[in-house]
Amino acid sequence: MVELRKRKATAAPPMPLQKRTKIKAPVTTSKAAAPSSAKAIPKVGEVVDLNGFGGEIKTNDSTKTTLKALVDDSNSGVVLFTYPKASTPGCTKQACLFRDGFDKLTSTGLSIYGLSVDSPKANTNFKTRQNLPYTLLCDTASTLIGAIGFKKLPRGTNRGVFVMDKAGKVLILQAGGPDATVEAVRQLVLSTPKEAESEAV
């Protein structure tokens, strides 16, 4: 009789506790919430509302600015070429190609900027060493780089080029190597009507 009582007392309690912990474990909500908060990357031909777009960035001389301010200050639009790291071989080649073609690439009124996650100090050194005739932009938080689709996950920057006209219309948005990014802008300039070119001068 004593043995029967001991078996009943020890067998019953553990079962409901195991069932309850198994039900609670799979419940997760954080993963589902992440994608809905991500903003869509603009497409070529789309007109972007620039108010707040890309957040605040700095120039290589530490002046705060935004993409909207850069577009407003331009004659016909802006060219942003992105590069992974200042003063590395591929990035130096890309920056120098934009430097060497600067006059022709800006002949229709486009303003050229380099864009990376580098600090103002690193980009200033880069600009000085390579005698770059354009401003380098410092996006240490990748807010603008991410907004135009060139943020590499989990960290880093994809090389590419983004061109937007004065009205906020995306003209070019493509990844590519140093030569390809410059060639994309060159082809755009060549295809620009001569009337628009003369108005920009």
Side-chain angles (χ1 to χ4, degrees):
M1 295 300 290
V2 175
E3 290 180 2
L4 290 175
R5 287 177 184 174
K6 285 182 180 179
R7 287 174 186 172
K8 288 180 181 179
T10 55
M15 295 302 292
L17 290 173
Q18 290 176 350
K19 288 181 181 179
R20 286 176 187 172
T21 53
K22 286 181 181 179
I23 292 171
K24 291 179 181 180
V27 179
T28 55
T29 55
S30 58
K31 291 182 180 179
S36 62
S37 61
K39 292 182 180 179
I41 295 165
K43 298 178 181 179
V44 173
E46 182 180 345
V47 176
V48 178
D49 178 5
L50 290 176
N51 290 311
F53 182 84
E56 192 175 70
I57 53 177
K58 289 183 178 180
T59 62
N60 59 268
D61 62 1
S62 296
T63 301
K64 293 180 180 180
T65 188
T66 62
L67 179 58
K68 185 179 187 304
L70 298 176
V71 171
D72 288 344
D73 289 342
S74 70
N75 289 325
S76 65
V78 299
V79 174
L80 304 180
F81 69 88
T82 59
Y83 53 96
K85 188 173 178 61
S87 299
T88 55
C91 301
T92 299
K93 179 182 179 181
Q94 184 184 25
C96 290
L97 285 171
F98 274 101
R99 176 197 67 193
D100 297 343
F102 183 77
D103 290 340
K104 290 184 178 179
L105 297 175
T106 58
S107 63
T108 60
L110 292 172
S111 297
I112 294 176
Y113 298 92
L115 175 65
S116 74
V117 296
D118 293 293
S119 67
K121 182 179 179 180
N123 269 333
T124 295
N125 289 338
F126 188 29
K127 176 179 168 66
T128 302
R129 287 173 187 169
Q130 303 305 327
N131 296 312
L132 304 179
Y134 47 80
T135 299
L136 298 180
L137 303 173
C138 310
D139 185 15
T140 56
S142 294
T143 54
L144 180 53
I145 291 170
I148 60 177
F150 292 126
K151 183 178 180 180
K152 185 187 292 184
L153 297 175
R155 61 172 59 187
T157 304
N158 288 313
R159 194 185 310 281
V161 63
F162 173 85
V163 182
M164 172 176 279
D165 69 11
K166 192 78 172 171
K169 182 179 180 180
V170 179
L171 303 179
I172 298 175
L173 200 168
Q174 68 179 62
D179 294 279
T181 54
V182 177
E183 184 60 24
V185 180
R186 184 181 290 114
Q187 291 300 321
L188 175 65
V189 171
L190 289 173
S191 66
T192 302
K194 291 184 179 180
E195 293 180 2
E197 184 173 342
S198 61
E199 288 176 4
V201 176

